[in-house]
């Protein structure tokens, strides 16, 4: 497993998301014809700037400060708002909060948990 620790600096959410997508693509690109990869995966450790991510379960009619319509100006807010393609509602990330993103091949037998 490759570990990318950039937690000593603040990373904008969209930059971290691009890194995650690139690590996933690297993982896919290393697979052979049988779907086997030469590595188990990667782990990305970082801190984000102030951001709220809005998952698919975020309901604009009941989401308080996140009930923004497309025409609303969000530039004056002291944090970013990012719509994301995951489940859940609004999630805060910010400086001082270590965020760990695992990009792992869960099919590989080497990752099976042994107790």
């Amino acid at each position: 497993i490759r570990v990318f620790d950039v937690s000593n600096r603040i990373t904008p959410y969209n930059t971290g998301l691009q890194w995650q997508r690139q690590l996933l693509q690297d993982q896919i690109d290393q697979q052979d014809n049988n779907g086997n990869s030469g590595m188990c995966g990667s782990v990305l450790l970082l801190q984000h700037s102030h951001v709220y991510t809005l998952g698919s379960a975020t309901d604009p009619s009941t989401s308080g400060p996140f009930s923004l319509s497309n025409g609303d100006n969000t530039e004056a807010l002291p944090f970013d708002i990012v719509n994301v393609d995951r489940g859940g509602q609004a999630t805060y990330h910010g400086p001082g909060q270590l965020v760990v993103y695992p990009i792992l091949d869960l099919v590989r037998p080497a990752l099976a948990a042994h107790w």
Side-chain angles (χ1 to χ4, degrees):
I1 295 180
R2 300 179 301 172
V3 176
F4 298 92
D5 184 354
V6 292
S7 61
N8 62 335
R9 63 179 187 232
I10 304 299
T11 302
Y13 183 82
N14 284 325
T15 300
L17 183 59
Q18 289 173 350
W19 291 344
Q20 291 174 68
R21 289 179 175 156
Q22 184 59 55
L23 290 170
L24 174 60
Q25 190 59 54
D26 290 349
Q27 181 79 23
I28 292 169
D29 290 347
Q30 291 188 24
Q31 290 181 345
D32 62 19
N33 291 336
N34 296 322
N36 297 315
S37 175
M39 64 180 178
C40 295
S42 304
V43 176
L44 179 61
L45 296 94
L46 50 78
Q47 295 181 66
H48 289 300
S49 50
H50 298 285
V51 62
Y52 282 90
T53 58
L54 307 182
S56 61
T58 304
D59 182 352
S61 67
T62 61
S63 296
F66 308 111
S67 59
L68 303 170
S69 66
N70 289 338
D72 287 342
N73 181 3
T74 60
E75 292 178 18
L77 296 174
F79 50 83
D80 293 329
I81 296 177
V82 179
N83 288 303
V84 293
D85 58 356
R86 62 154 174 78
Q89 297 182 358
T91 302
Y92 171 78
H93 300 291
Q97 178 191 46
L98 178 64
V99 182
V100 179
Y101 293 107
I103 297 93
L104 303 173
D105 182 351
L106 298 178
V107 177
R108 277 192 71 165
L111 290 179
H114 298 283
W115 301 95

